[in-house]
Amino acid sequence: MENVPCFKPGKIWPDNKGKHISAHGGGILFHKGIYYWYGEDNSEGYLNNVGVSCYSSTDLYNWKHEGTVLKQEDMPEELQGENNGRIERPKVIYNAKTNKFVMWMHAERSGYAFSSAGVAISDSPVGPFEFLFYDRPVLFEPEEGFDEHTNEKELGNSFRDMHLFVDNMDSYGDGVNDAYVFYSSEGNLTMYIVRLNADYTWIDLTDNSARIRPQCTKEQLGDVWSRQFIRKMREAPTPFKYQDKYYLITSACTGWKPNPAEYAIADSVLGEYVTLGDPCEGDQEGTTFYSQSTYVIPIDEENGKFIYIGDRWTPDELGKSPYVWLPLTIDDNGKVTIKWYDEWSLTDLK
Ligand code: DGJ
């Protein structure tokens, strides 16, 4: 079976130059027949975050390195030098109205107290992306109080593991599909889902006059914001949609160590999400096959066929962390299954 392309979960994955792909915590954008894979460039190690890398592919097996599309050195001063600035879990979506590629990221420094959203835009999927600003979308006091480590009271609720999701709906009829940001907040205790504005460059405030970027309260956000998995400590939000239902894979919160994933289903994108359990079949050790979720790619959406993507973190050599790409299927009852294969190809996605 030599030369037949296949996925090899957990193995080193060379790009077109023979170098292991470094696009961790990544996301895939499918645009005009090409897949773009964006992620953390950890190739120089944890403390030398290079920025956001991009790879392109037409077949999902072979990836061409398109370079660093947002460089760490182009991030604001607060994220330079001894602050050990890091960009984590970047995701890129395309806005059909502005014709811009919009990147959101978890902007961080060592100590994990910076915990803010960063937003960047580009005219091209392969950059360069221009960094716009960082901030925290929501300011809401939970019953148990604000997280002190991240100074939530002053700065707004913390913004860590994140994902962007574009729905196949245009509920405002403004020519732009609805998009949402999912992120771990309240010091990772609770997950937030917030609708984005028409440009996708910040959250959608119900009051149009406020479409700049103020932090806002629960009342201002109204029906465009929700809190999910309250005080359940879920990370690595990975949303996708199947037959009008919203699916959300998350991990537990154990640093770089793997733990069992869970998936949840909701009738509306903002929830309520009902947790249904671990989607991994035959995962004896309860480690999501030694990975942490980061993206689900629709392959044959109508028939419930997707690819699960997770990172197999190797914290001592973060840049060498392999990826775990596995078939994800959904049956007629909405049950999600991820199974292990040492090697597999798209034809196995049955
Ligand atoms: C788990 C998160 O999911 C990762 O993105 C990263 O932030 C690590 N924690 C850091 O410990």
Side-chain angles (χ1 to χ4, degrees):
M1 292 283 282
E2 252 175 87
N3 295 327
V4 176
C6 64
F7 302 107
K8 296 177 185 164
K11 296 282 184 326
I12 290 298
W13 194 343
D15 66 8
N16 61 317
K17 292 176 195 146
K19 205 175 161 199
H20 180 55
I21 293 171
S22 193
H24 300 102
I28 307 281
L29 170 73
F30 186 61
H31 186 73
K32 295 193 176 162
I34 298 176
Y35 291 96
Y36 297 92
W37 179 356
Y38 304 90
E40 301 159 21
D41 186 340
N42 289 311
S43 58
E44 303 294 322
Y46 176 77
L47 291 179
N48 293 307
N49 191 266
V50 177
V52 178
S53 53
C54 174
Y55 298 80
S56 64
S57 175
T58 49
D59 62 7
L60 292 171
Y61 305 107
N62 297 291
W63 293 90
K64 177 185 171 210
H65 189 214
E66 298 284 358
T68 311
V69 293
L70 175 66
K71 295 192 172 116
Q72 185 68 43
E73 65 197 44
D74 293 334
M75 295 291 282
E77 214 181 306
E78 300 88 311
L79 294 159
Q80 305 295 340
E82 62 185 20
N83 290 322
N84 290 325
R86 273 184 66 71
I87 297 168
E88 292 197 351
R89 295 186 177 265
K91 305 285 179 294
V92 174
I93 54 179
Y94 171 69
N95 188 291
K97 205 165 160 189
T98 61
N99 203 19
K100 301 268 186 208
F101 296 84
V102 186
M103 179 191 291
W104 281 59
M105 70 206 78
H106 163 199
E108 198 48 273
R109 352 198 249 217
S110 59
Y112 284 88
F114 193 78
S115 306
S116 299
V119 182
I121 53 169
S122 176
D123 292 326
S124 157
V126 293
F129 280 79
E130 179 198 352
F131 187 79
L132 297 182
F133 58 84
Y134 65 82
D135 204 342
R136 292 183 181 172
V138 176
L139 179 60
F140 166 76
E141 183 166 12
E143 270 177 27
E144 301 77 8
F146 287 114
D147 178 57
E148 282 178 21
H149 177 67
T150 53
N151 196 7
E152 287 195 323
K153 194 173 180 180
E154 298 292 316
L155 303 175
N157 302 97
S158 55
F159 185 103
R160 292 205 187 117
D161 281 15
M162 61 140 285
H163 205 294
L164 297 178
F165 173 73
V166 183
D167 206 348
N168 54 356
M169 289 173 30
D170 171 9
S171 57
Y172 291 172
D174 58 2
V176 184
N177 281 8
D178 308 339
Y180 298 82
V181 60
F182 289 60
Y183 62 100
S184 302
S185 192
E186 299 178 15
N188 279 357
L189 283 176
T190 296
M191 193 162 285
Y192 284 10
I193 306 170
V194 192
R195 189 181 159 121
L196 304 190
N197 66 15
D199 293 348
Y200 298 163
T201 50
W202 197 234
I203 54 168
D204 184 17
L205 302 167
T206 41
D207 170 7
N208 271 348
S209 64
R211 275 196 186 204
I212 34 173
R213 53 179 189 88
Q215 288 166 355
C216 47
T217 61
K218 184 180 179 192
E219 288 68 36
Q220 283 171 301
L221 277 163
D223 60 356
V224 296
W225 171 49
S226 91
R227 292 169 83 221
Q228 298 294 316
F229 312 131
I230 294 172
R231 297 182 74 77
K232 293 264 173 20
M233 289 205 93
R234 304 305 297 176
E235 280 192 322
T238 307
F240 52 103
K241 190 175 184 181
Y242 173 60
Q243 288 186 349
D244 295 333
K245 300 257 189 229
Y246 297 86
Y247 289 75
L248 180 55
I249 296 178
T250 59
S251 74
C253 190
T254 54
W256 301 112
K257 291 203 188 92
N259 55 61
E262 282 181 357
Y263 77 101
I265 305 188
D267 291 330
S268 113
V269 65
L270 291 174
E272 248 351 78
Y273 283 85
V274 176
T275 299
L276 293 181
D278 187 342
C280 299
E281 198 175 289
D283 175 34
Q284 304 299 350
E285 299 181 42
T287 59
T288 318
F289 301 115
Y290 288 94
S291 75
Q292 188 181 27
S293 53
T294 187
Y295 206 84
V296 166
I297 315 177
I299 297 297
D300 178 1
E301 236 173 321
E302 234 168 79
N303 294 303
K305 294 174 188 176
F306 300 80
I307 299 178
Y308 160 85
I309 305 180
D311 297 285
R312 181 172 284 182
W313 300 114
T314 51
D316 293 340
E317 276 186 299
L318 207 57
K320 293 214 172 125
S321 302
Y323 308 94
V324 172
W325 286 42
L326 289 171
L328 180 154
T329 53
I330 310 181
D331 73 12
D332 293 344
N333 301 315
K335 184 178 183 309
V336 176
T337 304
I338 303 171
K339 277 192 209 158
W340 179 262
Y341 288 75
D342 287 338
E343 288 188 9
W344 68 283
S345 67
L346 293 172
T347 51
D348 293 310
L349 194 51
K350 292 178 194 129

